[in-house]
């Protein structure tokens, strides 16, 4: 079985491509700052707005700070936020979705709350929550968890409703099994795959949303490096020093691309028929 799974994973081009991109970014984020001698907050006013050179591989920003150092340290923030939001929203959404699928009274309450949150655009709801909580990295995680949890709950609920109608669930009820045992020991393992796939897409969406919040001044507060506030610093200098915009923008694109490819590959691995239908229909909605 392990050999079969290994062959299916290695033969899946989406998983391999996305996985390689993500691994490279994680390695650069983890070990890159150890190699660079300059810190992300170190100011060198006399070297401000320099282009790529031997001293500064990706140039400097408007305060003379090493752009490469800031991008690598900003990657830590973005990856931390994305990973934390993906884990928290998946766990909370999993619980909400399972109970909503099994109990009608819970479905009537919890899904209406989720519908209320999903009625707002994600970025607007995140901005509103950050206005209440305040600009702080931990608050970004909380706000984005609130934003993305309903999406996981919806996916888990729809999959759990299908499992709930299976014969083995009726048999367990007839034998007197408790509701919690049926939900978590028998139904929940059959809903893991769609939850994992949804978590990868939330990981990517969280990175984009965090960058947007920081760009708008509602995310990670400066001078702490973040891809979003690096873009904010470079927006007025895009013609004089385009590297301040190109470098963090490319980092966001590559990271999100790698995670989305990985998620698409996992979807094809767990449910090949769905992946083929999506590609035949013109892409993922």
């Amino acid at each position: 079985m392990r050999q079969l799974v290994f062959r299916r994973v290695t033969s899946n081009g989406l998983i391999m491509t996305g996985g390689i991109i993500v691994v490279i970014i994680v390695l650069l984020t983890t070990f890159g700052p150890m190699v660079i001698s300059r810190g992300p907050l170190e100011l060198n006013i006399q070297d401000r707005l320099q282009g790529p050179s031997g001293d500064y591989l990706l140039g400097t920003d408007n305060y003379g700070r090493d752009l490469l150092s800031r991008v690598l340290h900003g990657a830590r923030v973005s990856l931390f936020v994305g990973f934390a939001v993906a884990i928290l929203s998946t766990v909370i959404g999993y619980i909400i979705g399972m109970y909503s699928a099994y109990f009608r009274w819970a479905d009537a309450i919890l899904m209406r709350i989720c519908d209320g949150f999903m009625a707002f655009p994600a970025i607007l709801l995140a901005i509103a929550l950050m206005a209440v909580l305040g600009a702080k990295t931990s608050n970004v995680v909380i706000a984005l968890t609130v934003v993305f949890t309903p999406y996981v709950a919806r996916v888990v609920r729809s999959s759990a409703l299908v499992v709930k109608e299976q014969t083995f669930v009726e048999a367990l009820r007839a034998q007197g099994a408790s509701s919690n045992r049926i939900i978590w020991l028998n139904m929940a393992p059959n809903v893991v795959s769609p939850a994992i796939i949804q978590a990868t897409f939330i990981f990517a969406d969280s990175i984009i949303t965090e960058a947007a919040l920081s760009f708008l001044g509602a995310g990670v507060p400066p001078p702490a490096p973040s891809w979003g506030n690096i873009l904010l610093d470079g927006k007025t200098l895009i013609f004089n020093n385009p590297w301040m915009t190109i470098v963090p923008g490319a980092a966001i694109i590559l990271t999100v691309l790698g995670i989305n490819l990985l998620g698409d590959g996992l979807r094809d691995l767990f449910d090949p028929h769905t992946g083929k239908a999506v590609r035949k229909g013109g892409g993922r909605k």
Side-chain angles (χ1 to χ4, degrees):
M1 179 62 69
R2 291 180 180 177
Q3 293 178 352
L4 177 61
V5 172
F6 179 77
R7 284 198 300 268
R8 291 184 63 185
V9 170
T10 53
S11 62
N12 190 306
L14 293 175
I15 291 180
M16 295 303 296
T17 303
I20 290 172
I21 294 174
V22 172
V23 168
I24 291 174
I25 291 173
V26 171
L27 291 176
L28 288 174
T29 302
T30 304
F31 300 105
M34 301 178 185
V35 179
I36 301 173
S37 58
R38 299 180 180 86
L41 304 179
E42 184 178 338
L43 301 177
N44 296 284
I45 301 299
Q46 68 277 9
D47 295 332
R48 62 189 300 269
L49 298 179
Q50 286 194 8
S53 63
D55 293 332
Y56 301 98
L57 295 180
L58 294 180
T60 59
D61 65 3
N62 50 334
Y63 295 102
R65 295 172 295 193
D66 190 340
L67 192 56
L68 177 59
S69 178
R70 288 185 62 77
V71 169
L72 290 177
H73 280 84
R76 292 183 173 183
V77 175
S78 296
L79 292 177
F80 166 74
V81 170
F83 183 77
V85 171
I87 294 296
L88 291 175
S89 61
T90 300
V91 172
I92 299 173
Y94 204 88
I95 295 172
I96 293 174
M98 292 302 300
Y99 280 113
S100 296
Y102 195 83
F103 298 107
R104 290 185 177 181
W105 61 266
D107 185 53
I109 298 173
L110 297 176
M111 284 300 105
R112 299 298 77 76
I113 296 175
C114 290
D115 290 341
F117 282 113
M118 294 175 67
F120 297 93
I123 186 64
L124 293 181
L125 180 58
I127 292 173
L129 292 172
M130 289 302 299
V132 175
L133 299 173
K136 191 178 179 182
T137 304
S138 58
N139 291 340
V140 174
V141 174
I142 295 173
L144 295 185
T145 299
V146 173
V147 169
F148 290 115
T149 293
Y151 296 91
V152 180
R154 276 290 182 185
V155 171
V156 171
R157 172 184 174 274
S158 62
S159 299
L161 284 174
V162 176
V163 177
K164 181 184 175 183
E165 302 302 323
Q166 299 296 318
T167 306
F168 74 90
V169 175
E170 295 294 334
L172 288 168
R173 288 175 181 166
Q175 294 174 2
S178 65
S179 298
N180 283 325
R181 177 180 177 179
I182 296 174
I183 291 172
W184 298 114
L185 295 182
N186 302 101
M187 291 177 58
N190 294 282
V191 191
V192 171
S193 299
I196 292 176
I197 296 169
Q198 186 68 18
T200 60
F201 296 129
I202 288 178
F203 194 167
D205 290 341
S206 299
I207 292 175
I208 296 175
T209 309
E210 182 276 323
L213 289 174
S214 298
F215 182 80
L216 296 173
V220 179
S226 167
W227 286 341
N229 57 38
I230 295 174
L231 286 170
L232 176 62
D233 292 337
K235 72 172 184 176
T236 57
L237 302 168
I238 189 171
F239 297 108
N240 297 328
N241 191 10
W243 290 100
M244 287 183 62
T245 305
I246 294 174
V247 174
I252 294 172
I253 292 172
L254 287 175
T255 303
V256 172
L257 175 64
I259 296 172
N260 277 332
L261 289 176
L262 185 61
D264 286 334
L266 289 174
R267 181 190 58 201
D268 291 350
L269 182 66
F270 290 131
D271 192 355
H273 300 291
T274 301
K276 292 178 181 178
V278 168
R279 286 194 296 273
K280 186 177 180 180
R284 178 172 60 90
K285 296 183 179 179

